[in-house]
């Protein structure tokens, strides 16, 4: 699946990392040069594009003409609506999801603005991805029963056996990869040398592991 994610904040970056780990082609767009520079090398497999996703030329440059899914996750509802409308009306993107930052604006996020899925800002990451990808016909996180792909989240607590251990020393079940480590509210690259800390949250993509097996590996 070819995915464009507009907005490289915490949410957008996490979505990009998880979808990339699930073997999708992901492009992450942000207008902040410093933010894009900060992410260079930290989101492997994700193409970073600097520019205003509200501009048709920028969306086309980023690959909107061949996108299967566009996710607008900026912190501005007006921008998310414009991005959604352009994606649906100008580029005929099959699936468009948009984050609703202000609940008072939720009524605007519908088909009139090109939005297939409107997601409240407080929606958990996995639920957002499920809502965004659930109606597409392409392989991704939500064709779980057919593709055998699961996304599993685990949190490292002070009592976890993984505290202080390098990620590369953790024995993961076969067919399992760590998509991202969220530390202090920021997604980080799951480098094997990273030592896990209490409070870390990990998102893993697996073709075969169960929640119990992931729990056993880290807890």
């Amino acid at each position: 699946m070819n995915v464009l994610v507009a907005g490289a904040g915490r949410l957008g970056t996490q979505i990009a990392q998880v979808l990339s780990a699930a073997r999708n082609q992901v492009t992450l767009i942000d207008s902040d040069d410093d933010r894009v520079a900060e992410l260079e090398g930290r989101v492997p497999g994700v193409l970073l594009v600097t520019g205003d996703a509200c501009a048709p030329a920028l969306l086309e440059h980023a690959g909107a003409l061949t996108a299967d899914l566009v996710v607008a996750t900026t912190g501005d509802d007006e921008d998310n609506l414009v991005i959604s409308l352009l994606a649906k009306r100008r580029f005929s993107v099959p699936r468009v999801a948009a984050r609703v930052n202000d609940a008072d604006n939720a009524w605007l996020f519908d088909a009139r603005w090109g939005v297939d899925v409107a997601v409240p800002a407080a929606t958990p990451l996995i639920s957002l991805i499920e809502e965004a990808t659930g109606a597409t016909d392409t392989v991704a996180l939500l064709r779980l029963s057919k593709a055998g792909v699961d996304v599993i989240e685990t949190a490292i607590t002070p009592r976890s056996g993984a505290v202080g251990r390098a990620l590369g020393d953790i024995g993961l079940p076969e067919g399992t990869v760590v998509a991202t480590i969220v530390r202090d509210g920021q997604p980080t690259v799951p480098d094997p040398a990273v030592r896990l800390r209490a409070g870390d949250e990990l998102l893993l993509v697996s073709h075969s592991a169960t929640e119990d097996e992931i729990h056993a590996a880290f807890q």
Side-chain angles (χ1 to χ4, degrees):
M1 181 167 65
N2 187 357
V3 184
L4 299 187
V5 180
R10 175 185 175 185
L11 179 63
T13 302
Q14 287 179 329
I15 290 171
Q17 286 182 297
V18 172
L19 289 175
S20 177
R23 301 179 182 179
N24 297 289
Q25 296 180 345
V26 182
T27 300
L28 182 58
I29 307 167
D30 201 274
S31 59
D32 187 332
D33 292 345
D34 293 336
R35 176 59 177 163
V36 173
E38 178 187 344
L39 290 174
E40 290 286 353
R42 293 179 54 193
V43 283
V46 175
L47 176 64
L48 297 171
V49 173
T50 304
D52 183 1
C54 293
L58 188 284
L59 280 178
E60 183 171 351
H61 168 71
L65 286 170
T66 57
D68 301 297
L69 168 67
V70 167
V71 186
T73 66
T74 79
D76 189 311
D77 283 344
E78 292 183 0
D79 286 353
N80 289 341
L81 288 170
V82 171
I83 294 165
S84 298
L85 187 64
L86 287 171
K88 183 65 69 175
R89 300 285 182 258
R90 179 154 185 163
F91 298 105
S92 300
V93 177
R95 189 75 169 165
V96 178
R99 178 185 184 183
V100 183
N101 297 282
D102 186 340
D104 290 340
N105 295 330
W107 65 277
L108 290 166
F109 286 73
D110 59 19
R112 294 171 298 176
W113 281 90
V115 179
D116 295 305
V117 177
V119 186
T123 301
L125 172 64
I126 298 305
S127 295
L128 188 153
I129 294 174
E130 290 178 355
E131 289 289 338
T133 61
T136 63
D137 189 41
T138 50
V139 292
L141 298 177
L142 265 296
R143 288 181 61 188
L144 299 180
S145 60
K146 297 179 181 179
V149 177
D150 254 319
V151 176
I152 301 172
E153 180 181 18
T154 189
I156 306 300
T157 71
R159 293 180 293 179
S160 298
V163 171
R165 296 179 62 189
L167 180 61
D169 292 337
I170 304 294
L172 296 177
E174 185 178 354
T176 301
V177 297
V178 178
T180 186
I181 302 172
V182 181
R183 175 173 292 173
D184 298 326
Q186 296 296 323
T188 61
V189 174
D191 189 292
V194 171
R195 293 195 175 275
L196 298 174
R197 305 175 187 171
D200 287 349
E201 298 177 4
L202 288 79
L203 291 176
L204 301 98
V205 178
S206 181
H207 288 279
S208 57
T210 64
E211 292 182 18
D212 288 343
E213 288 174 322
I214 297 300
H215 183 273
F218 290 94
Q219 306 303 329

